[in-house]
Amino acid sequence: AMQAVLDRLLSRVAMASVGIMAGASALNSCIYDIDGGKRAVMFNRFPNPFTGDDSGIQKYVIKEGTHFKIPFLQDPKIFDIRTRPRAIPTVTGTKDLQMVNITLRLLSRPYIDSLPQIYQQLGLDYDERILPSIANEVLKSVVAQYDAEELLKKREMVSREVKEQLTQRAHDFHIVLEDISITHLTFGKEFATAIERKQVAQQEAERQKFVVAKAEQERKANVIRAEGEAEAAKMISSALKQGPALVELRRLEAARDITATLAKSKNVIFIPSGSSHGGRGGDAGTGMLLNLKEA
């Protein structure tokens, strides 16, 4: 008798456990959680008989928290609405046909109120489908308007123009771009070679400018020198016409210079000539200068 009672008790406990597990499973299939930084849109496989909603994606957005759903009838699609970074590399050509490698960094998130349209048109991987294509399109369009050298000098302007166009294009797909920046910009070997050749040509041009300027200054100096010599010759000619005083002055200046030079030499000896015995007046002859060298 005790064994029969114990068996019935165990059977009831087992049935209750199965019922509890079935109830917990059913309850779990009726609820779902939306974590922080996420939103959801509801997909109805069939029209909802309780709320009157049509089948398909509903037009409202479900916020964070725990919510109820009808199992097998409703399927929530959860979006991550936090800002996410993405780097998009591309290779494109400049206005002067130079190839340039550009990497664009984007910070993007979806428009929360547009999540139903985003899911209907693009799906949960909307950013994978849209951002690379529109970023490449805008970059190629903007870069093609500038020469390679202008890309380096006007990088801020290029970045601003890319940001304006890309923001507008992303808006058409219900995507918010919170930041856009060019993080990498390099050119091919051909451009580096062209830059080096240009620098050499510029240096050569500067050297030729210096040579031309120097020649011009020398020409002007020669003209001024010639004008001065002509003026001096004119003054000498005029002085000679007036008398021998200028010639005598030049002779005295030359004699003074010679005397000053000889006075500095230790080996020069002046020997005056003796008085002339013939003639009148006993005029003195010309003396001699001897340059004696040490033995």
Side-chain angles (χ1 to χ4, degrees):
M2 288 295 296
Q3 184 66 35
V5 172
L6 184 59
D7 290 341
R8 286 196 300 271
L9 180 60
L10 291 175
S11 176
R12 290 177 181 177
V13 170
M15 292 177 62
S17 299
V18 171
I20 292 173
M21 292 178 62
S25 177
L27 179 63
N28 185 59
S29 65
C30 292
I31 62 175
Y32 62 96
D33 293 326
I34 301 177
D35 297 331
K38 297 184 179 181
R39 296 290 188 276
V41 294
M42 185 62 71
F43 173 72
N44 288 347
R45 292 186 173 88
F46 305 100
N48 191 333
F50 301 103
T51 62
D53 294 334
D54 294 332
S55 60
I57 291 293
Q58 304 306 302
K59 302 303 180 183
Y60 53 86
V61 177
I62 304 171
K63 298 182 179 181
E64 304 165 354
T66 300
H67 304 271
F68 290 94
K69 67 176 181 177
I70 302 176
F72 309 111
L73 174 63
Q74 293 181 319
D75 182 19
K77 306 297 181 182
I78 299 177
F79 281 85
D80 187 346
I81 62 169
R82 291 170 292 192
T83 300
R84 292 187 290 181
R86 172 179 291 273
I88 302 176
T90 186
V91 179
T92 185
T94 62
K95 187 177 180 180
D96 54 351
L97 304 181
Q98 296 290 339
M99 299 308 296
V100 56
N101 299 298
I102 298 181
T103 299
L104 200 64
R105 183 182 63 84
L106 308 177
L107 296 178
S108 65
R109 62 176 178 82
Y111 280 104
I112 295 177
D113 294 337
S114 301
L115 290 180
Q117 294 92 321
I118 292 176
Y119 185 82
Q120 285 179 322
Q121 299 171 5
L122 305 172
L124 292 174
D125 58 345
Y126 63 94
D127 52 347
E128 292 282 351
R129 294 171 178 264
I130 296 301
L131 293 180
S133 60
I134 64 174
N136 277 280
E137 173 191 346
V138 170
L139 276 174
K140 291 179 183 296
S141 173
V142 173
V143 170
Q145 301 175 19
Y146 295 89
D147 294 337
E149 190 172 352
E150 290 178 333
L151 283 180
L152 297 175
K153 294 181 178 179
K154 303 178 180 179
R155 181 166 177 169
E156 184 177 352
M157 181 185 300
V158 173
S159 181
R160 183 168 59 250
E161 190 170 345
V162 168
K163 182 176 182 179
E164 291 174 357
Q165 293 191 24
L166 195 53
T167 299
Q168 181 59 44
R169 293 287 288 120
H171 179 77
D172 297 338
F173 296 97
H174 313 291
I175 299 174
V176 181
L177 295 180
E178 295 186 344
D179 184 65
I180 302 171
S181 60
I182 297 175
T183 59
H184 182 71
L185 192 152
T186 58
F187 296 91
K189 295 182 179 178
E190 296 81 3
F191 179 72
T193 302
I195 288 293
E196 183 178 355
R197 290 176 180 173
K198 182 177 180 181
Q199 289 176 345
V200 171
Q202 288 177 341
Q203 292 174 357
E204 181 64 21
E206 291 297 328
R207 191 181 72 82
Q208 292 298 331
K209 279 185 184 179
F210 173 76
V211 170
V212 171
K214 182 179 179 182
E216 179 67 18
Q217 292 299 325
E218 290 179 350
R219 185 189 66 81
K220 290 181 179 180
N222 290 334
V223 170
I224 294 173
R225 190 180 301 111
E227 291 176 351
E229 291 176 353
E231 184 66 23
K234 186 184 296 185
M235 293 175 64
I236 292 173
S237 176
S238 176
L240 290 175
K241 290 179 181 180
Q242 296 178 4
L246 180 61
V247 176
E248 184 64 20
L249 175 62
R250 292 289 184 263
R251 187 179 71 81
L252 292 175
E253 290 176 350
R256 182 190 61 191
D257 294 339
I258 294 172
T259 303
T261 302
L262 294 177
K264 297 177 182 178
S265 177
K266 298 179 180 180
N267 299 327
V268 176
I269 299 176
F270 175 72
I271 301 177
S273 64
S275 301
S276 177
H277 298 289
R280 59 186 182 191
D283 294 335
T286 304
M288 291 187 300
L289 291 173
L290 300 180
N291 187 10
L292 302 178
K293 297 184 178 179
E294 296 180 357

